[in-house]
Each structure stands twice: as structure tokens, then as C-alpha cells.
Amino acid sequence: MKKPRKDSALDRRQFLAATGGLLAASVPGAAKIADVVDSAAPSPSPRAPKPSGSLRKIPIGVFDPVYEHLSLDAMLDKVSTLGLEAMEIGTGGYPNNRHCPLDELIADRSKAKAWQKKFEDKGIRVAALSCHGNPVHPDAKHAQKDIDTFRKTVLLAEMLDVKVIVGFSGCPGGTPQDAQPNWITYRWPPEYAQMQDWQWKERVIPYWKEAAKYARDHGIKRLAFEMHPNFVVYNPRTLMKLREAVGEEIGANCDLSHLFWQGCDPVEVIHFLGRQGALFHAHMKDTTFYPENVNKYGVLNFAFEKTDLDSASETFRAVGYGHSASLWKSVVKAYMDVGFEGILSIENEDPILPGEVGVERAAYVLKNVRRELLGE
């Protein structure tokens, strides 16, 4: 096992100065995509935060699917060694539930408490439960499986006093006859507007009104939706549309990696959602752009595998490897400024720094920018 890093021995200013150039992305995080294709300039200057004793020390954690090859105990040893303070744990759906035997835990409160104590004994808090799925899928069996997982996750969250459940909004078909989801983002020709209106009125809003009530009845008031392509909630506007239709239980899992390529300013997004009281959770994941391919192919041209990078417009990266440490410092400061009460949950889907390596690099960046902000 690797020995813990001696973070206290790091010269933070040297680190930030070095990574500001070394880890700089091809494009600025706060720039619009129109600017991206014209320039590969460094990230914009952050909003010059000064150390303040009033800033909250936001816990840094990790989302567990990256450790799917490890047992629960081995994973906790690894996370503890990294000095991380919290975890987001998958209970089913797309992340699966490698470390959370959901049915077993909700059937026996003593087992659930013993499971939670394993984390606490390592100084780690279970801060969120994640059941990313598609509960409005047009395939009834698929939908029901994700509905059942959500409801069981609510029961476990209630049992363990976990305040946040993370997931997707889902995506239905475009008509009652469809067998597969239909992600509609453009309301022309007019039949697409008709399908999108039908999706929201007949499938999405009714389901989440019922699901939010179920969660509320069990004391869970924070359903954190990841704004993700291929689901009806994919940006702050669609998130707020669902929140306004359903209620204040609906909020964001703010994963900036999906918003960078849409041209969002990360600090502006955090402040906007924070003002609405709609910021429940945060995935820490970066995106890098390849301007020569953006110029030719546009931004809807992702690489998920290392072999696809030559022709890709962008790919996910570990924090600090898509945008500079200075940009991420401004992101963490924004979360502090709005009084964010969740955790900074590292999710690594970096094809160049896969698995545990990407988590370790992201933790290094985040812990150092947090120290700098807090003046530690």
C-alpha cells in the first residue's frame, strides 16, 4: 500500500504556479465554445480569492465505481490513505452497487449501520447515495428496475441519515409507441417540439412528482440530478424547468465536465444554482478540448477511449488536466461563496489517467487549491 502523501510539506504557491501552466487546458473553462475554436489561450484569471476564515472547508470525496475491482475494505483503505473525507456510493443503476448490497442493507437495520460504521472507522462519511438510471425509459422492465432501485435507495438513505441521492432525470421515448429513449434538444421541425412537450407532460413531470413525494415522505429532500447528455435534464435551464414543475426536492449534481463543452462558465453556473438553492452535489471531473478537431467537427464528438483521441473534439480528464489549477481554484471558491453544503466528489473517467491514478491526481489538485483558499 502506498504511504499517505505529506501534503503539509507542499509549497502551495509553487504547486499552483507550476500546475497553472503544466495542467492548463487547451481552452479556457470560462470561455464560450465560439471562443474555443479561435484560440488555445490559457484559462482566464480566477476571481482573485483571498484566504478567509469564514469560508467553509468543503469535504473532498470520491465516487466509488472507480474502485469496482476492490472489495469494500480494500477500497476504504485506499481512500483513507489518500486523505479523502467522504464518499458517494453507488446503489444500482448505471454505476451498479459493487460496494453496497442494497437489498441486504434495507432488510436489516443493524447490517446497514455496521456497513456505515466501516466508513466512519476510517474517518470517511457516506455523504451521498447514487442510483443513476432511467426510470422513465420506454422499456417498462428497464424503467421498473430503476424505479425500484431509487425507492430502495431512499429507504437506505433514510435509515443512514444520508441527505443526498444522486441520479439522472431519465429520458422517455418520443411517443407512446417508442421502444428506446429519444433525446430531443432542438424544437424544429415541429414534430420534435410536439414530442418534447409530450415527454415532459406525460412522462417526466408526473414520474418525478410522485418520486419526489416518496422521497419527501421518507425525509429525503435533496435529489441531485446530473446534467448529462441523453437525458431530459442536461443543462441548468432544463434542471430549473423540472425543479419548477416538481418542487424544491429537485436540484443539481453539478458535474462541470458536461457543461464545459456546452459553453457554460463554471463559476457563473455555480453562482446561478446556488442563488436558487438548487446546488446539492458536485462531481469533480474535467474536460479537455482539441481545437483542431473542434474546428472541423464541432463539440458533439467525444472520445471515451484512448484510441479515439486523434479524431476527438474533447474528452474527460482528471481535475487539473483539462483546465488549469487556477481555474479549479475559482470553482472551489465559488462553491464556498454560495455556501455549498455538499461534497466535492471526484469522478474519474479519464482515458489517459484511468482508475485510481486519475483519482490521486485530482485529489492532489483539489486539496492544494482548498488549502490555498483557506490560508492553511
Side-chain angles (χ1 to χ4, degrees):
M1 183 182 299
K2 294 180 181 178
K3 294 182 179 179
R5 294 180 180 277
K6 297 182 178 179
D7 292 313
S8 59
L10 293 172
D11 183 322
R12 296 183 300 279
R13 294 191 183 278
Q14 288 181 359
F15 163 78
L16 289 169
T19 55
L22 177 63
L23 306 183
S26 299
V27 297
K32 299 298 181 183
I33 291 299
D35 296 326
V36 169
V37 298
D38 292 331
S39 171
S43 297
S45 298
R47 303 181 183 187
K50 295 181 179 179
S52 170
S54 65
L55 296 176
R56 174 179 179 258
K57 184 177 182 177
I58 303 174
I60 298 170
V62 62
F63 188 19
D64 77 307
V66 73
Y67 297 113
E68 63 182 359
H69 60 292
L70 296 178
S71 68
L72 174 61
D73 290 337
M75 176 184 72
L76 292 177
D77 286 341
K78 180 77 66 174
V79 173
S80 176
T81 298
L82 286 176
L84 300 179
E85 302 133 336
M87 290 200 73
E88 171 187 355
I89 301 296
T91 60
Y94 298 115
N96 215 328
N97 63 329
R98 174 71 177 87
H99 304 110
C100 179
L102 184 59
D103 289 338
E104 182 181 327
L105 296 184
I106 63 172
D108 188 331
R109 180 178 294 271
S110 63
K111 286 185 178 180
K113 290 293 186 180
W115 178 84
Q116 186 180 43
K117 189 173 184 299
K118 283 179 174 285
F119 292 82
E120 293 172 347
D121 288 346
K122 293 288 186 179
I124 299 165
R125 177 167 63 97
V126 178
L129 299 176
S130 292
C131 53
H132 296 71
N134 189 353
V136 293
H137 197 289
D139 182 319
K141 289 183 179 180
H142 185 139
Q144 192 60 53
K145 182 178 180 181
D146 289 341
I147 290 168
D148 292 345
T149 297
F150 170 78
R151 286 177 167 253
K152 292 174 183 178
T153 301
V154 168
L155 296 179
L156 183 60
E158 179 184 31
M159 195 177 291
L160 301 180
D161 196 29
V162 173
K163 302 298 186 184
V164 178
I165 293 177
V166 187
F168 292 135
S169 59
C171 185
T175 71
Q177 293 76 38
D178 286 359
Q180 294 295 334
N182 191 340
W183 186 43
I184 302 168
T185 63
Y186 199 77
R187 292 176 60 83
W188 193 91
E191 59 265 32
Y192 288 91
Q194 293 169 8
M195 287 191 290
Q196 189 181 59
D197 291 342
W198 178 85
Q199 288 179 322
W200 281 80
K201 181 180 179 182
E202 300 297 333
R203 292 291 186 266
V204 177
I205 292 172
Y207 170 75
W208 282 112
K209 278 187 174 180
E210 180 183 352
K213 181 181 184 303
Y214 180 82
R216 183 169 60 249
D217 289 346
H218 288 276
I220 307 303
K221 300 178 181 178
R222 295 190 170 197
L223 305 180
F225 288 148
E226 186 167 342
M227 297 170 281
H228 193 290
N230 284 330
F231 298 105
V232 295
V233 168
Y234 60 90
N235 63 13
R237 185 181 180 192
T238 49
L239 176 81
M240 294 308 299
K241 178 180 178 180
L242 189 59
R243 180 179 169 91
E244 289 164 7
V246 171
E248 293 184 353
E249 289 81 15
I250 304 299
N253 164 28
C254 192
D255 186 331
L256 295 172
S257 71
H258 304 301
L259 302 182
F260 284 130
W261 66 265
Q262 294 185 61
C264 294
D265 179 318
V267 172
E268 182 64 27
V269 167
I270 293 165
H271 278 265
F272 168 71
L273 294 174
R275 287 194 301 270
Q276 311 302 318
L279 200 57
F280 295 164
H281 191 65
H283 274 176
M284 295 287 103
K285 189 171 68 181
D286 212 339
T287 302
T288 194
F289 293 83
Y290 303 104
E292 66 280 8
N293 289 333
V294 173
N295 290 340
K296 289 184 290 187
Y297 307 131
V299 295
L300 292 177
N301 177 41
F302 286 85
F304 295 99
E305 305 292 338
K306 193 172 182 179
T307 54
D308 297 331
L309 291 175
D310 286 347
S311 59
S313 297
E314 65 273 302
T315 194
F316 297 133
R317 295 302 314 269
V319 169
Y321 285 78
H323 295 79
S324 70
S326 295
L327 186 282
W328 282 100
K329 181 179 178 182
S330 70
V331 165
V332 176
K333 175 61 161 53
Y335 280 117
M336 292 177 174
D337 286 341
V338 301
F340 177 58
E341 296 178 354
I343 69 168
L344 305 177
S345 181
I346 297 168
E347 181 186 30
N348 189 47
E349 296 178 338
D350 188 325
I352 301 169
L353 298 171
E356 299 172 29
V357 176
V359 173
E360 188 172 333
R361 302 289 178 87
Y364 182 79
V365 174
L366 290 170
K367 286 193 288 184
N368 277 280
V369 299
R370 186 179 66 177
R371 282 197 192 93
E372 183 77 11
L373 287 164
L374 296 174
E376 296 178 347

